[in-house]
């Protein structure tokens, strides 16, 4: 790796400024520090919240009681970052980026004091903002988001205080279903109100229906195709019910999981380029387009979908960490790239595992691709081996070429992470015919002789042949 000299134009050591102290920002800062000593590169990071490098991904398991202690979700504390010579300024919010002047204006959240800090290199890692419904009652006590550790603690405090046992989750994406699990584990009666026709809109509706049925099997009341219109409060001002067009669902606590948007107000005001999904646009080195000394990564950027060739906004920690690594390397004068994503995600609700990668049917149609589908059911282990459970695998392959386009899996233990086979196949641009002979591991406790993903590939290959002959 060749690295450029780390001297700023003023002759002093270069200064790297990072906005946002979680996955993308602190991965970038830590990687830059690994490659450059404090004598060569000064690193200043601004974080407006109380925590750094924490796992929002773990919040549902903390709230649900699987992870007993909040601090287990913190990968690195502010003190640990400071011990690595990162000048971390907590509870300090960047209010403005002056691109022409190469500086940022930051405000101490508690005192209100403001100051400017100049940079030679800038990293924007401001994450995403949860969507709050614009409706009466949305901010009432007892209504919770779950984006930060503070949010998780506030929800736990409400659960500890509330005697009633009725919870409504608004939204049935992966955060909604994970929070439904958390509340079930806490002994709540859970209702999930969902705008889509089925939960998990990242799946095709036929696969979402499997999730729907399994959630009902867990005792969760599913209300699909329904918009929440109001959150109703009692005489004490606290939430008492969630109202839709034609019903009211009593609630002692409400959890919102209706999606996020890139947090790019600062970037927009600074004139930096945003895409159709309001995320920052970068090149493959995660450099903001048209700006040699500014990088951006994590939930505030758009990424290239390698299967459809389109820009997308996907808010996932797995990408944020990889972006941070690439940015830190480049900001330290090295070279790394992030080629894009195939759209892999895995989640669960109680013992039901849900996974997807690549394109859904509607994504394929939108991209102008003709495709065939194959759906199979198979067991997770050899049928005779104890605790074998059923899973459903749906596969999409391109018409004529047979190129794999996407896979969705719903099943019990051992189902979810099988999607990684498909993620690798997608990345390699394999056809479903090629997948059939993949040399996957086999022994009865792990899979049937024909792994469920290969059974789906075999059926998809047949469908491709039938459609072209
Ligand atoms: C409940 C939940 C479960 C999840 N589960 C998973 C999962 O299972 N798998 C997965 O891959 N992903 C999961 N995610 C998503 C994952 O947590 C995010 O994709 C990841 O945290 C993004 O990292 P980031 O650094 O881009 O943004 P963030 O984590 O949002 O960090 C951005 C930081 O920037 C700070 N900030 C913003 N603006 C400013 C400013 N102007 N000045 C100073 N500081 C600022 C914010 O306070 C924040 O700390 C989950 C998220 C949630 C909420």
């Amino acid at each position: 790796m060749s690295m450029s000299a780390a001297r700023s134009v003023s002759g002093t050591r270069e200064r790297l400024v990072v906005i946002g102290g979680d996955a993308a920002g602190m991965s970038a800062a830590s990687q830059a520090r690994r490659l450059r000593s404090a004598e060569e590169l000064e690193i200043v990071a601004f974080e407006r919240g109380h925590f750094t490098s924490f796992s929002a991904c773990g919040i549902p398991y903390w709230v649900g009681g699987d992870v007993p202690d909040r601090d287990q979700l913190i990968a690195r504390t502010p003190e640990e970052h400071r011990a690595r010579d990162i000048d971390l300024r907590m509870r300090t919010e960047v209010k403005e980026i002056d691109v022409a002047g190469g500086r940022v204006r930051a405000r101490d959240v508690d005192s209100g004091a403001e100051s400017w800090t100049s940079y030679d290199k800038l990293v924007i890692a401001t994450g995403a903002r949860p969507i709050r419904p614009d409706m009466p009652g949305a901010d009432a006590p007892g209504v919770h988001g779950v984006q930060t550790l503070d949010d998780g603690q506030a929800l736990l405090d409400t659960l500890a205080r509330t005697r009633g046992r009725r919870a409504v989750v608004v939204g049935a994406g992966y955060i909604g279903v994970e929070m439904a699990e958390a509340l079930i584990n806490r002994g709540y009666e859970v209702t999930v109100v969902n705008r889509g026709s089925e939960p998990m809109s990242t799946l095709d509706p036929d696969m979402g229906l499997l999730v729907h049925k399994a959630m009902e099997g867990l005792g969760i009341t599913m209300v699909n195709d329904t918009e929440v219109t109001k959150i109703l409060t009692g005489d004490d001002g606290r939430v008492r019910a969630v109202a839709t067009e034609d019903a009211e669902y009593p609630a002692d606590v409400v959890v919102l999981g209706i999606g996020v948007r890139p947090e790019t107000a600062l970037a927009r005001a600074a004139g930096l380029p945003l895409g159709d999904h309001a995320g920052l646009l970068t090149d493959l080195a995660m450099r903001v387009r048209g700006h040699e000394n500014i990088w951006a990564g994590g939930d505030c950027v758009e990424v290239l979908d390698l299967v459809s060739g389109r820009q997308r906004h996907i808010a996932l920690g797995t990408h944020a960490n990889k972006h941070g690594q690439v940015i830190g390397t480049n900001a330290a004068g090295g070279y790394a790239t992030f080629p894009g994503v195939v759209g892999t995600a895995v989640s669960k609700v109680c013992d039901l595992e849900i996974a997807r990668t690549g394109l859904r049917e509607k994504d394929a149609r939108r991209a102008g691709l003709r495709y065939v589908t194959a759906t199979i059911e198979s067991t997770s282990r050899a049928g005779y081996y104890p605790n074998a459970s059923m899973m459903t695998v749906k596969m999409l392959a391109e018409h004529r070429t047979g190129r794999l386009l996407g896979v969705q899996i719903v099943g019990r233990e051992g189902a979810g992470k099988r999607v990684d086979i498909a993620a690798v196949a997608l990345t390699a641009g394999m056809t479903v015919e090629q997948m059939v002979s993949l040399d996957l591991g086999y022994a009865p406790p792990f899979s049937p002789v024909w792994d469920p993903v290969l059974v789906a590939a075999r059926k998809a290959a047949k469908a491709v042949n039938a459609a072209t002959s």
Side-chain angles (χ1 to χ4, degrees), residues 4 10 17 32-33 100 226 294 315 350-351 364 376 386 401 410:
S4 57
S10 61
V17 165
R33 176 54 74 232
T226 304
I294 306 180
C350 297
D351 63 348
I376 63 102
T401 68
V410 175

Side-chain angles (χ1 to χ4, degrees), residues 18-27 45-61 89-96 105-107 109 124-130 145-148 151 174-176 178-179 260 263 266 297-301 314-321 323 344-347:
V18 177
I19 312 175
D22 195 27
M26 295 323 288
S27 296
F46 293 100
E47 168 53 51
R48 67 181 173 198
H50 291 105
F51 301 96
T52 52
S53 304
F54 65 93
S55 170
C57 316
I59 292 174
Y61 308 103
R89 308 200 187 157
M90 296 301 293
R91 303 284 291 152
T92 310
E93 180 169 12
V94 172
K95 303 298 280 183
E96 184 183 348
R105 178 167 58 85
R107 178 184 294 164
V109 174
I124 303 174
T126 45
R129 189 167 12 98
V146 283
Q147 185 79 2
T148 64
D151 293 339
Y174 79 89
I175 292 180
E178 288 175 4
M179 288 313 300
V260 296
E263 178 74 275
L266 268 182
D299 287 1
C300 66
V301 302
I314 305 178
L316 283 178
T318 174
H319 304 159
N321 279 285
H323 291 168
T344 312
V346 62
S347 48

Side-chain angles (χ1 to χ4, degrees), residues 45-124:
F46 293 100
E47 168 53 51
R48 67 181 173 198
H50 291 105
F51 301 96
T52 52
S53 304
F54 65 93
S55 170
C57 316
I59 292 174
Y61 308 103
W62 169 40
V63 171
D66 294 327
V67 178
D69 182 10
R70 181 200 68 192
D71 290 352
Q72 289 177 264
L73 303 186
I74 299 172
R76 214 169 263 180
T77 62
E79 293 69 33
E80 287 171 315
H81 283 299
R82 289 187 188 119
R84 288 172 171 79
D85 286 318
I86 295 169
D87 177 0
L88 182 59
R89 308 200 187 157
M90 296 301 293
R91 303 284 291 152
T92 310
E93 180 169 12
V94 172
K95 303 298 280 183
E96 184 183 348
I97 305 170
D98 171 9
V99 173
R103 56 185 193 152
V104 299
R105 178 167 58 85
R107 178 184 294 164
D108 183 303
V109 174
D110 300 314
S111 72
E114 292 202 351
S115 61
W116 286 95
T117 303
S118 60
Y119 61 79
D120 298 290
K121 295 171 173 179
L122 178 68
V123 176
I124 303 174

